[in-house]
Amino acid sequence: MNISNLKAFIETVQASSISKAADNLHLTQPAVSMQLQNLETSLGHQLLNRSNRGVQLTEYGKVFFSYAQSFLTLWDNLQQDLKAVAASEYPSLQVGTCPAIGQYALPCALFLFKQIYPQIRVSVQSLSSQEVISELRNRTLHTGFLEGIPHAPDLESHLVLRSELILVASSSHPKTAVDLADLPGLPLVLTPPDCDIRRSLERSLARYQMDSASLKPFLELDGLESVKSAVISGHGLSFLPYIAIKKELFSGDLQRVFINGATFEITFSMVWRKNESLSEDNQQLINFIRNDSGKSFC
């Protein structure tokens, strides 16, 4: 049975007029008349008596009207239940994050967010900062977290976290401090050049008028955990964000090697699309992170 025809019939009966029903349905009167005729043809019975004074139900129409109302209520309930199933299967928020903040700081904040808003489903993807920007523009993400502060006219951003970028070595390493001039001679284990942490390191070196090309990595590994494992095993030194190595520094698996007269930093921002009406769930997440000022990060 055609649902549109059914709605036209119910609206006509309630309005006692085809023209009024057409106005309420934002249709033309001939269109509503055609829907009523199609409904009567499909049932094989006349449902309405039409006159200049309006419409009246026939005996067949009276029987059908009660069923039609129940059927339409069931149809509306079905649509709502199907939407509820879809909402339960698909997260209401898609979040993309670069690994450093996503693995070591953001989980605690999202845990607290879920305690306040348990009905909001959140799915988190680990991406590079450039991929976060790309997926936001492709509209596959609602919100992103990335290294640095993006200078993009189509995106809004908010600085959420600053972390020291620390030179670390294994617990057995003999030195606890070096000079900037010593860095090119160290056996460094670094992430690849296109990695967020590597780019932050290069910017930090530039602030001290040091060319990052002077560093000759002993080993390049993709992934913070791989780098940490190599350094803990004594295979070199590395620059890593403090948020990623707090546990290892506390346990003594890693030790900090100070750089005389220099400190390096890595920053992280939350980003979302600019000049766009945000969903209520996305606005709740953005407000939570902004108002929290980083206190809930791990």
Side-chain angles (χ1 to χ4, degrees), residues 6 12 41 43 48-49 59 70 75 82 84 100 125 132 143-144 146 159-160 198 200 243 251 257 259 286:
L6 194 63
T12 299
T41 299
L43 293 172
L48 296 169
N49 288 321
E59 291 302 314
S70 298
W75 177 260
L82 291 175
Q125 303 177 52
V132 168
T143 303
L146 47 73
L159 182 66
V160 295
R198 184 73 170 269
S200 286
I243 58 171
S251 67
V257 178
I259 303 174
I286 291 171

Side-chain angles (χ1 to χ4, degrees), residues 100 104 163 224-225 228 240-248:
Y104 304 105
S163 178
L224 294 177
E225 289 301 314
K228 282 200 288 186
L240 292 171
Y242 175 72
I243 58 171
I245 54 174
K246 289 187 291 185
K247 182 176 69 174
E248 289 79 7

Side-chain angles (χ1 to χ4, degrees), residues 134 191 196 292:
S134 176
T191 53
D196 297 327
D292 180 72

Side-chain angles (χ1 to χ4, degrees), residues 228-298:
K228 282 200 288 186
S229 295
V231 175
I232 290 172
S233 299
H235 299 314
L237 296 84
S238 187
F239 286 92
L240 292 171
Y242 175 72
I243 58 171
I245 54 174
K246 289 187 291 185
K247 182 176 69 174
E248 289 79 7
L249 289 173
F250 181 78
S251 67
D253 291 332
L254 291 174
Q255 66 165 314
R256 178 171 186 168
V257 178
F258 290 89
I259 303 174
N260 296 322
T263 56
F264 297 167
E265 182 182 72
I266 185 170
T267 59
F268 300 95
S269 298
M270 175 174 60
V271 291
W272 61 96
R273 287 183 292 276
K274 192 175 185 179
N275 299 325
E276 180 174 303
S277 179
L278 301 175
S279 70
E280 182 178 351
D281 291 348
N282 198 21
Q283 190 66 67
Q284 296 283 19
L285 176 62
I286 291 171
N287 290 344
F288 174 80
I289 297 295
R290 293 179 75 167
N291 295 335
D292 180 72
S293 301
K295 293 190 292 291
S296 64
F297 287 132
C298 300

Side-chain angles (χ1 to χ4, degrees), residues 46-109:
Q46 183 178 343
L47 303 176
L48 296 169
N49 288 321
R50 301 157 175 83
S51 69
N52 293 334
R53 291 178 295 178
V55 297
Q56 287 185 329
L57 288 168
T58 65
E59 291 302 314
Y60 292 112
K62 291 176 183 178
V63 173
F64 181 73
F65 181 64
S66 62
Y67 281 96
Q69 288 180 305
S70 298
F71 186 85
L72 193 58
T73 299
L74 287 172
W75 177 260
D76 290 339
N77 291 341
L78 171 62
Q79 296 300 306
Q80 292 177 11
D81 288 346
L82 291 175
K83 289 179 181 178
V85 171
S88 66
E89 291 180 350
Y90 297 100
S92 55
L93 279 183
Q94 294 283 356
V95 176
T97 174
C98 65
I101 188 172
Q103 294 178 23
Y104 304 105
L106 190 59
C108 295

